[in-house]
PDB file of all heavy atoms in Angstrom:
ATOM      1  N   LEU A 111     104.690 -11.335-110.253  1.00  0.00           N
ATOM      2  CA  LEU A 111     104.756 -12.303-111.249  1.00  0.00           C
ATOM      3  C   LEU A 111     104.293 -11.750-112.605  1.00  0.00           C
ATOM      4  O   LEU A 111     104.976 -11.958-113.603  1.00  0.00           O
ATOM      5  CB  LEU A 111     103.780 -13.516-110.869  1.00  0.00           C
ATOM      6  CG  LEU A 111     103.710 -14.575-111.823  1.00  0.00           C
ATOM      7  CD1 LEU A 111     104.987 -15.290-112.175  1.00  0.00           C
ATOM      8  CD2 LEU A 111     102.788 -15.657-111.289  1.00  0.00           C
ATOM      9  N   MET A 112     103.167 -11.002-112.589  1.00  0.00           N
ATOM     10  CA  MET A 112     102.698 -10.440-113.905  1.00  0.00           C
ATOM     11  C   MET A 112     103.772  -9.386-114.439  1.00  0.00           C
ATOM     12  O   MET A 112     103.968  -9.395-115.652  1.00  0.00           O
ATOM     13  CB  MET A 112     101.307  -9.777-113.560  1.00  0.00           C
ATOM     14  CG  MET A 112     100.214 -10.673-113.520  1.00  0.00           C
ATOM     15  SD  MET A 112      98.468 -10.057-113.379  1.00  0.00           S
ATOM     16  CE  MET A 112      98.611  -9.283-111.878  1.00  0.00           C
ATOM     17  N   ALA A 113     104.177  -8.574-113.533  1.00  0.00           N
ATOM     18  CA  ALA A 113     105.246  -7.574-114.058  1.00  0.00           C
ATOM     19  C   ALA A 113     106.534  -8.140-114.549  1.00  0.00           C
ATOM     20  O   ALA A 113     106.952  -7.775-115.496  1.00  0.00           O
ATOM     21  CB  ALA A 113     105.440  -6.453-112.920  1.00  0.00           C
ATOM     22  N   SER A 114     106.902  -9.100-113.741  1.00  0.00           N
ATOM     23  CA  SER A 114     108.161  -9.680-114.139  1.00  0.00           C
ATOM     24  C   SER A 114     108.164 -10.574-115.380  1.00  0.00           C
ATOM     25  O   SER A 114     109.024 -10.617-116.233  1.00  0.00           O
ATOM     26  CB  SER A 114     108.807 -10.395-113.026  1.00  0.00           C
ATOM     27  OG  SER A 114     108.027 -11.506-112.572  1.00  0.00           O
ATOM     28  N   PHE A 115     107.022 -11.166-115.559  1.00  0.00           N
ATOM     29  CA  PHE A 115     106.734 -11.941-116.922  1.00  0.00           C
ATOM     30  C   PHE A 115     106.736 -10.934-118.086  1.00  0.00           C
ATOM     31  O   PHE A 115     107.451 -11.214-118.990  1.00  0.00           O
ATOM     32  CB  PHE A 115     105.401 -12.733-116.803  1.00  0.00           C
ATOM     33  CG  PHE A 115     105.145 -13.439-118.000  1.00  0.00           C
ATOM     34  CD1 PHE A 115     105.736 -14.775-118.258  1.00  0.00           C
ATOM     35  CD2 PHE A 115     104.307 -12.990-118.956  1.00  0.00           C
ATOM     36  CE1 PHE A 115     105.485 -15.423-119.407  1.00  0.00           C
ATOM     37  CE2 PHE A 115     104.153 -13.727-120.217  1.00  0.00           C
ATOM     38  CZ  PHE A 115     104.687 -14.977-120.391  1.00  0.00           C
ATOM     39  N   VAL A 116     105.928  -9.886-118.015  1.00  0.00           N
ATOM     40  CA  VAL A 116     105.917  -8.999-119.122  1.00  0.00           C
ATOM     41  C   VAL A 116     107.342  -8.313-119.363  1.00  0.00           C
ATOM     42  O   VAL A 116     107.745  -8.239-120.523  1.00  0.00           O
ATOM     43  CB  VAL A 116     104.796  -7.890-118.764  1.00  0.00           C
ATOM     44  CG1 VAL A 116     104.883  -6.792-119.865  1.00  0.00           C
ATOM     45  CG2 VAL A 116     103.442  -8.548-118.905  1.00  0.00           C
ATOM     46  N   LEU A 117     107.950  -7.892-118.319  1.00  0.00           N
ATOM     47  CA  LEU A 117     109.268  -7.216-118.467  1.00  0.00           C
ATOM     48  C   LEU A 117     110.240  -8.256-118.930  1.00  0.00           C
ATOM     49  O   LEU A 117     111.014  -7.925-119.820  1.00  0.00           O
ATOM     50  CB  LEU A 117     109.682  -6.698-117.139  1.00  0.00           C
ATOM     51  CG  LEU A 117     108.886  -5.387-116.727  1.00  0.00           C
ATOM     52  CD1 LEU A 117     109.507  -5.073-115.366  1.00  0.00           C
ATOM     53  CD2 LEU A 117     109.322  -4.267-117.618  1.00  0.00           C
ATOM     54  N   HIS A 118     110.211  -9.556-118.508  1.00  0.00           N
ATOM     55  CA  HIS A 118     111.165 -10.461-119.072  1.00  0.00           C
ATOM     56  C   HIS A 118     110.945 -10.761-120.562  1.00  0.00           C
ATOM     57  O   HIS A 118     111.943 -10.701-121.358  1.00  0.00           O
ATOM     58  CB  HIS A 118     110.992 -11.863-118.258  1.00  0.00           C
ATOM     59  CG  HIS A 118     111.911 -12.855-118.769  1.00  0.00           C
ATOM     60  ND1 HIS A 118     111.514 -13.871-119.706  1.00  0.00           N
ATOM     61  CD2 HIS A 118     113.213 -13.204-118.568  1.00  0.00           C
ATOM     62  CE1 HIS A 118     112.547 -14.562-119.964  1.00  0.00           C
ATOM     63  NE2 HIS A 118     113.589 -14.297-119.284  1.00  0.00           N
ATOM     64  N   ARG A 119     109.673 -10.805-120.928  1.00  0.00           N
ATOM     65  CA  ARG A 119     109.376 -10.950-122.406  1.00  0.00           C
ATOM     66  C   ARG A 119     109.837  -9.830-123.235  1.00  0.00           C
ATOM     67  O   ARG A 119     110.229  -9.990-124.299  1.00  0.00           O
ATOM     68  CB  ARG A 119     108.000 -11.422-122.553  1.00  0.00           C
ATOM     69  CG  ARG A 119     107.440 -12.723-121.882  1.00  0.00           C
ATOM     70  CD  ARG A 119     108.471 -13.904-122.432  1.00  0.00           C
ATOM     71  NE  ARG A 119     107.951 -15.194-122.167  1.00  0.00           N
ATOM     72  CZ  ARG A 119     108.558 -16.144-121.504  1.00  0.00           C
ATOM     73  NH1 ARG A 119     109.629 -15.960-120.856  1.00  0.00           N
ATOM     74  NH2 ARG A 119     107.975 -17.305-121.321  1.00  0.00           N
ATOM     75  N   MET A 120     109.586  -8.623-122.687  1.00  0.00           N
ATOM     76  CA  MET A 120     109.878  -7.418-123.359  1.00  0.00           C
ATOM     77  C   MET A 120     111.334  -7.366-123.482  1.00  0.00           C
ATOM     78  O   MET A 120     112.017  -7.031-124.634  1.00  0.00           O
ATOM     79  CB  MET A 120     109.304  -6.167-122.701  1.00  0.00           C
ATOM     80  CG  MET A 120     107.861  -6.093-122.970  1.00  0.00           C
ATOM     81  SD  MET A 120     107.012  -4.731-121.953  1.00  0.00           S
ATOM     82  CE  MET A 120     108.010  -3.274-122.322  1.00  0.00           C
ATOM     83  N   ILE A 121     112.105  -7.447-122.364  1.00  0.00           N
ATOM     84  CA  ILE A 121     113.526  -7.296-122.318  1.00  0.00           C
ATOM     85  C   ILE A 121     114.323  -8.245-123.193  1.00  0.00           C
ATOM     86  O   ILE A 121     115.297  -7.925-123.869  1.00  0.00           O
ATOM     87  CB  ILE A 121     114.129  -7.161-120.982  1.00  0.00           C
ATOM     88  CG1 ILE A 121     113.559  -5.913-120.227  1.00  0.00           C
ATOM     89  CG2 ILE A 121     115.630  -7.328-120.867  1.00  0.00           C
ATOM     90  CD1 ILE A 121     113.784  -5.937-118.658  1.00  0.00           C
ATOM     91  N   ARG A 122     113.864  -9.539-123.224  1.00  0.00           N
ATOM     92  CA  ARG A 122     114.521 -10.485-123.986  1.00  0.00           C
ATOM     93  C   ARG A 122     114.519 -10.126-125.466  1.00  0.00           C
ATOM     94  O   ARG A 122     115.269 -10.806-126.310  1.00  0.00           O
ATOM     95  CB  ARG A 122     114.104 -11.949-123.733  1.00  0.00           C
ATOM     96  CG  ARG A 122     112.842 -12.337-124.317  1.00  0.00           C
ATOM     97  CD  ARG A 122     112.550 -13.738-123.876  1.00  0.00           C
ATOM     98  NE  ARG A 122     111.360 -14.232-124.597  1.00  0.00           N
ATOM     99  CZ  ARG A 122     110.934 -15.482-124.523  1.00  0.00           C
ATOM    100  NH1 ARG A 122     111.468 -16.379-123.761  1.00  0.00           N
ATOM    101  NH2 ARG A 122     109.786 -15.831-125.089  1.00  0.00           N
ATOM    102  N   ALA A 123     113.464  -9.316-125.879  1.00  0.00           N
ATOM    103  CA  ALA A 123     113.392  -9.003-127.289  1.00  0.00           C
ATOM    104  C   ALA A 123     114.338  -7.900-127.666  1.00  0.00           C
ATOM    105  O   ALA A 123     114.383  -7.464-128.924  1.00  0.00           O
ATOM    106  CB  ALA A 123     111.967  -8.581-127.623  1.00  0.00           C
ATOM    107  N   VAL A 124     115.031  -7.278-126.747  1.00  0.00           N
ATOM    108  CA  VAL A 124     116.011  -6.156-127.060  1.00  0.00           C
ATOM    109  C   VAL A 124     117.338  -6.809-127.299  1.00  0.00           C
ATOM    110  O   VAL A 124     117.963  -7.345-126.457  1.00  0.00           O
ATOM    111  CB  VAL A 124     116.019  -5.211-125.865  1.00  0.00           C
ATOM    112  CG1 VAL A 124     117.073  -4.090-126.085  1.00  0.00           C
ATOM    113  CG2 VAL A 124     114.575  -4.697-125.531  1.00  0.00           C
ATOM    114  N   PRO A 125     117.790  -6.606-128.628  1.00  0.00           N
ATOM    115  CA  PRO A 125     119.061  -7.269-129.008  1.00  0.00           C
ATOM    116  C   PRO A 125     120.260  -6.678-128.171  1.00  0.00           C
ATOM    117  O   PRO A 125     121.175  -7.492-127.815  1.00  0.00           O
ATOM    118  CB  PRO A 125     119.267  -6.803-130.518  1.00  0.00           C
ATOM    119  CG  PRO A 125     117.814  -6.550-130.981  1.00  0.00           C
ATOM    120  CD  PRO A 125     117.059  -6.060-129.756  1.00  0.00           C
ATOM    121  N   ALA A 126     120.261  -5.472-127.832  1.00  0.00           N
ATOM    122  CA  ALA A 126     121.416  -4.841-127.055  1.00  0.00           C
ATOM    123  C   ALA A 126     121.505  -5.627-125.658  1.00  0.00           C
ATOM    124  O   ALA A 126     122.652  -5.864-125.304  1.00  0.00           O
ATOM    125  CB  ALA A 126     121.180  -3.269-126.814  1.00  0.00           C
ATOM    126  N   ILE A 127     120.349  -6.018-125.031  1.00  0.00           N
ATOM    127  CA  ILE A 127     120.519  -6.668-123.748  1.00  0.00           C
ATOM    128  C   ILE A 127     120.839  -8.150-123.960  1.00  0.00           C
ATOM    129  O   ILE A 127     121.731  -8.701-123.280  1.00  0.00           O
ATOM    130  CB  ILE A 127     119.182  -6.584-123.032  1.00  0.00           C
ATOM    131  CG1 ILE A 127     119.009  -5.011-122.685  1.00  0.00           C
ATOM    132  CG2 ILE A 127     119.200  -7.477-121.874  1.00  0.00           C
ATOM    133  CD1 ILE A 127     117.538  -4.721-122.079  1.00  0.00           C
ATOM    134  N   ARG A 128     120.255  -8.833-125.058  1.00  0.00           N
ATOM    135  CA  ARG A 128     120.683 -10.208-125.265  1.00  0.00           C
ATOM    136  C   ARG A 128     122.035 -10.353-125.666  1.00  0.00           C
ATOM    137  O   ARG A 128     122.642 -11.382-125.303  1.00  0.00           O
ATOM    138  CB  ARG A 128     119.632 -10.710-126.349  1.00  0.00           C
ATOM    139  CG  ARG A 128     118.298 -11.142-125.946  1.00  0.00           C
ATOM    140  CD  ARG A 128     117.499 -11.772-126.868  1.00  0.00           C
ATOM    141  NE  ARG A 128     117.995 -13.043-126.998  1.00  0.00           N
ATOM    142  CZ  ARG A 128     117.159 -14.120-127.282  1.00  0.00           C
ATOM    143  NH1 ARG A 128     115.840 -13.915-127.443  1.00  0.00           N
ATOM    144  NH2 ARG A 128     117.546 -15.290-127.429  1.00  0.00           N
TER     145      ARG A 128
END
Side-chain angles (χ1 to χ4, degrees):
L111 178 60
M112 288 187 289
S114 59
F115 179 83
V116 169
L117 286 172
H118 179 265
R119 294 307 196 239
M120 287 172 48
I121 290 170
R122 79 178 187 177
V124 177
I127 294 174
R128 283 189 74 146

